[in-house]
Amino acid sequence: MGKIKGAIIVDTERCKGCGLCAVACPLHVLELTKREVNKKGYSFARQIMEDTCNGCASCAVICPDACITVYKKKEE
Amino acid sequence: MTTNDIIKPENLVYRKPTLLNDTPMHYCPGCSHGVAHKLIAEIIEEMGMEEKTIAISPVGCAVFAYNYIDVDWIEAAHGRAPAVASAVKRLWPDRLVFTYQGDGDLACIGTGETIHALNRGEHIAIIFINNAIYGMTGGQMAPTTLMGMKTSTCPYGREADLHGYPLHITDIAATLEGTTYVTRQAVHTVAAIRKTKKAIRQAFENSLNGQGASLVEVVSTCNAGWKMSPEQANKWMEEHMFKYYPLGDLKNLL
C-alpha cells in the first residue's frame, strides 16, 4: 500500500503566529519562526520537516486566520 | 515524490473557504472568533446559501464580522441582534437568518432580546461566543466571568458578595418552550471544531426550515483578555471554563 504524503502552504503574510497549528499537528511538522517576521511583525508558522506531513489537515482546521492550505497524495 | 508533486489542485484537501475574504482579521492571534468565522463560511458554502443568508453582527469584538464573511449583514445596536433577526426572518421566511454575538452582547445588555426572541420561537439561529470577559473594551468582568477569575474590573477575582454569580444563559434558553436546539460546544481542538461545525449546521438548517429558535454556545478563549498565550488559554479553558460550562447538547427536539 502506498504511503500518503502531504504538503502545506502557509499564507505567511496573513499568519499572526499564534502557534496553535504547531500544537495541533500530531507529527510536529510545523514550527514558528524564531527570528524571521512578516510585514506585520509576527513570527509565522512553517513546515520544518518536508517528508513527515501526512496531510491530515489538523493545522488548517485549527488555524483561526485560515492561513493554511493542505494537499495530500498517495505515493505510488 | 517532491513537495511540488503534491501541491497540485487535484490533491487539495483543505483551503480557506471562498466566502471568507482576504481582509486580514483584526482579532488577536489565536482568537476563537477566527475559527467560528471559518466554520460559518464553510457551512454557508456547503449549504449553497451564499446569496440567501442574512447575518446580524453584534457590538463587541465581532462587530466587524461583516468585513470578513461575504454574505449580507446588518449591524444591530448593542444586544439587539435577536430582535433585528426576528424582524428579518418574519419578512424573509425563505432566508437563512442568524446572529453572531459575544457574551457581553448576548448575556448582558441583550439578555431581554435574547430570551424573548428564543421564547417566541423565532426561526433564527444564534451563535453565542462565550469567552467570559469583555474582550473588545479591555478585559472587564462580564456576566459569564467565572468565580475567582481576575479581570480588569475585578482585579482580586470575582466574588459572590460583590459581583454575583456567573450567568448560565444557555441553560436558561434550554428551559424555554420556543427553542428547538440548544447546545454548548468549543473550538479548542480539531475534534471539538468538527462537533461545533455539525452543531452550527443543524442550527442553520433549523432556521432555514422554520423549526424554531436554535442557540449554539461556543465556549471560547480570549487569550489577550486572560493575559495568556493562545496555547495556555486553551488549557485554562479546558481546566476551568468547562467546569462551569460543560459541553454537549442541552436540548434537541429534532
Side-chain angles (χ1 to χ4, degrees), chain A:
Chain A
M1 209 181 87
K3 212 179 150 197
I4 290 169
K5 290 237 166 180
I8 57 161
I9 299 176
V10 182
D11 185 346
T12 52
E13 287 308 319
R14 202 179 158 89
C15 180
K16 291 176 188 159
C18 69
L20 290 179
C21 52
V23 178
C25 180
L27 300 169
H28 312 291
V29 171
L30 283 142
E31 200 184 69
L32 286 184
T33 54
K34 295 206 172 66
R35 299 184 69 94
E36 238 177 300
V37 290
N38 62 14
K39 272 186 203 150
K40 290 192 212 119
Y42 292 119
S43 57
F44 50 86
R46 66 172 163 205
Q47 193 174 348
I48 43 165
M49 287 184 281
E50 282 251 315
D51 292 336
T52 322
C53 179
N54 65 359
C56 73
S58 295
C59 54
V61 170
I62 210 150
C63 176
D65 290 280
C67 315
I68 306 177
T69 313
V70 185
Y71 297 89
K72 178 159 94 170
K73 196 184 178 184
K74 208 171 173 187
E75 207 172 42
E76 271 112 46

Side-chain angles (χ1 to χ4, degrees), chain B residues 164-186:
Chain B
Y165 297 93
L167 180 64
H168 295 257
I169 196 149
T170 311
D171 298 75
I172 298 171
T175 63
L176 303 174
E177 281 175 56
T179 51
T180 32
Y181 183 49
V182 179
T183 185
R184 190 185 284 122
Q185 302 293 339

Side-chain angles (χ1 to χ4, degrees), chain B residues 141 145-149 154 156-166 244:
Chain B
M141 185 181 67
T145 297
L146 311 182
M147 296 310 296
M149 185 174 164
C154 52
Y156 304 109
R158 183 173 186 163
E159 294 161 35
D161 314 348
L162 193 60
H163 310 109
Y165 297 93
Y244 278 85

Side-chain angles (χ1 to χ4, degrees), chain A residues 16 50 60-61 63-64 70 72, chain B residues 3 11 13-14 25 27 34 38:
Chain A
K16 291 176 188 159
E50 282 251 315
V61 170
C63 176
V70 185
K72 178 159 94 170
Chain B
T3 309
N11 300 333
V13 189
Y14 194 99
M25 293 200 232
Y27 302 118
K38 204 168 63 167

Side-chain angles (χ1 to χ4, degrees), chain B residues 219-241:
Chain B
V219 184
S220 303
T221 61
C222 176
N223 53 73
W226 297 354
K227 317 264 183 278
M228 292 176 198
S229 75
E231 190 190 347
Q232 285 170 333
N234 274 346
K235 278 198 190 124
W236 193 88
M237 176 171 74
E238 275 180 57
E239 283 164 20
H240 299 90
M241 293 276 282

